[in-house]
Amino acid sequence: MRILVTGGAGFIGSEFVRRTLLDSHPSDEVMVLDKLTYAGNLANLEPVEGLARFRFVQGDIADRDTVQAALHGTDAVVNFAAETHVDRSILDPDAFVKNDVLGTWILAETARASGVGRFLHVSTDEVYGAVPTGASLETDRLDPTSPYSAAKAGGELLVLAAYKTYGLPAIVVRGANAYGPYQYPEKLIPLHITNAIDDQSLPMYGDGQQRRQWTHVSDFASAVDAVLRRGTLGEIYNIGNPEPEALLPVNMEISRRILSVLGKPESLIEYVVDRPAHDRRYRVNLDKLGALGWQPEWRFADGLDATVQWYVDHPHWWRPIKSGEHHRAYYARNYADRSSFAR
Ligand code: TYD
């Protein structure tokens, strides 16, 4: 199989590429198309760089000509390319509409015209909105609350419409929060780990009691692979971690654990002004994914500790990002007005 992986230099996309080429499908070919925005990083693809079965093209999924050229000879497309960070979507929503809605549409339409056999679109569990109890089914209504999740909902609805209207051979997955190595240090876990290593404060939004269904990136990628190869066209599959909720701690407990593994004081936790429209809880039902025979390998407790250790061992990966102008400007913009907040 020859797979075009868009957003393949990002966090989850690059894990999918490394796994496909190095572990699970040693005869497959992968072409990565990635715009290399702030979150895309060629260092994430170093382990596959020299392989003859791997190629990289820099480009935008919203650019028809680039997409068309990259699609030549492609059997399947997996679309990871997206703006993904909720806080950035609140500061700069246009980029999310451009990439996650329009870019997704152009990629889907161009893929259909080129006759690909499968188009797997990676969406998010955030399209369901907050779920106070229970677990979201793929048939539940969508109720996105941030510009990020609303743009992702728009993108996936366009992909499903292209399946129904034009016969695009599409499948959608809705993924829970991922964590693990190579995650850009703006998301909760890598931000708090790297801040703690540097004795900087850990900004805690609101009361810190929000809950996510943390899924190790390697399990996320194996789930995408299962759906790509065994999923049914036109269907939606949730992706997440099936562990009981008691084993998936709230934000505050995660940050406390990070500090304890690193031997840092809890006084580094700083309550800050909450994110607007902050969803308190996500959880998805995984029966449909399980019926494909998928099983996770990681328990969150082990995965979190291993992830802390990965950031301790790989400062050469994250230090240039955190000291770079782009990250520093974002950090100042997102956190400056929040941090004087006292509870
Ligand atoms: P995040 O990693 O941004 O993922 P998402 O918002 O897509 O779930 O945030 C995870 C949780 O952590 C979420 O409840 C917001 C919270 N959070 C903080 O408390 N402080 C932070 O600095 C960040 C980035 C997130």
Side-chain angles (χ1 to χ4, degrees):
M1 180 141 86
R2 179 160 176 215
I3 311 170
L4 175 65
V5 182
T6 55
F11 167 49
I12 310 180
S14 67
E15 172 69 20
F16 178 81
V17 172
R18 294 189 302 269
R19 153 178 290 273
T20 301
L21 288 172
L22 300 175
D23 302 330
S24 45
H25 303 287
S27 54
D28 280 3
E29 291 174 29
V30 169
M31 156 94 84
V32 166
L33 173 67
D34 197 296
K35 194 161 51 160
L36 295 181
T37 62
Y38 77 94
N41 187 345
L42 284 177
N44 301 357
L45 293 168
E46 259 165 30
V48 297
E49 225 175 44
L51 295 180
R53 294 177 291 119
F54 169 71
R55 282 179 61 203
F56 177 83
V57 183
Q58 183 170 359
D60 189 340
I61 56 167
D63 175 353
R64 272 197 181 80
D65 293 342
T66 307
V67 169
Q68 207 161 23
L71 277 164
H72 188 72
T74 294
D75 303 306
V77 175
V78 183
N79 180 29
F80 290 99
E83 292 290 340
T84 66
H85 192 44
V86 173
D87 292 319
R88 284 187 197 257
S89 84
I90 295 166
L91 297 170
D92 181 17
D94 290 14
F96 288 71
V97 178
K98 277 184 198 145
N99 190 86
D100 300 0
V101 183
L102 184 62
T104 299
W105 173 248
I106 290 172
L107 177 68
E109 199 194 33
T110 313
R112 182 201 52 83
S114 87
V116 297
R118 277 194 167 221
F119 185 93
L120 189 149
H121 176 69
V122 180
S123 187
T124 168
D125 67 347
E126 300 193 23
V127 296
Y128 296 117
V131 212
T133 55
S136 305
L137 286 167
E138 286 85 350
T139 47
D140 283 358
R141 81 183 267 265
L142 306 188
D143 189 18
T145 48
S146 71
Y148 162 64
S149 52
K152 290 297 285 185
E156 69 160 72
L157 291 174
L158 285 166
V159 169
L160 293 167
Y163 166 77
K164 290 174 188 145
T165 306
Y166 304 115
L168 173 74
I171 308 182
V172 166
V173 295
R174 294 187 182 139
N177 286 65
Y179 74 97
Y182 298 101
Q183 186 169 30
Y184 188 91
E186 64 187 349
K187 303 278 165 58
L188 176 75
I189 289 177
L191 179 72
H192 282 200
I193 294 172
T194 54
N195 278 14
I197 290 172
D198 282 347
D199 298 305
Q200 285 172 6
S201 65
L202 276 47
M204 186 64 61
Y205 295 168
D207 62 5
Q209 299 303 303
Q210 301 79 8
R211 204 183 286 275
R212 302 289 184 256
Q213 196 174 9
W214 296 102
T215 306
H216 194 279
V217 65
S218 117
D219 290 331
F220 195 119
S222 73
V224 169
D225 188 64
V227 175
L228 176 66
R229 289 168 203 265
R230 302 194 290 282
T232 304
L233 298 183
E235 294 288 316
I236 301 164
Y237 295 84
N238 289 333
I239 289 178
N241 180 347
E243 282 184 279
E245 191 144 287
L247 301 177
L248 297 171
V250 296
N251 296 342
M252 175 59 87
E253 295 309 320
I254 291 174
S255 302
R256 284 204 178 115
R257 175 69 195 169
I258 290 169
L259 290 167
S260 132
V261 172
L262 291 169
K264 302 283 181 170
E266 283 195 12
S267 56
L268 282 178
I269 292 175
E270 184 187 3
Y271 284 102
V272 299
V273 173
D274 205 355
R275 176 191 277 173
H278 189 177
D279 291 336
R280 279 191 88 73
R281 177 180 178 274
Y282 302 127
R283 188 167 179 91
V284 292
N285 176 293
L286 294 165
D287 291 350
K288 214 168 152 181
L289 178 64
L292 296 181
W294 173 84
Q295 281 190 339
E297 286 178 357
W298 283 91
R299 296 187 318 167
F300 180 69
D302 301 330
L304 180 61
D305 289 4
T307 301
V308 173
Q309 192 56 46
W310 188 87
Y311 282 87
V312 168
D313 292 340
H314 292 78
H316 52 280
W317 183 85
W318 59 267
R319 281 210 183 279
I321 296 174
K322 283 196 97 171
S323 58
E325 194 40 48
H326 184 94
H327 184 82
R328 288 154 58 104
Y330 159 74
Y331 203 82
R333 202 170 156 217
N334 192 48
Y335 292 98
D337 293 341
R338 281 187 153 125
S339 54
S340 54
F341 182 74
R343 273 177 100 240

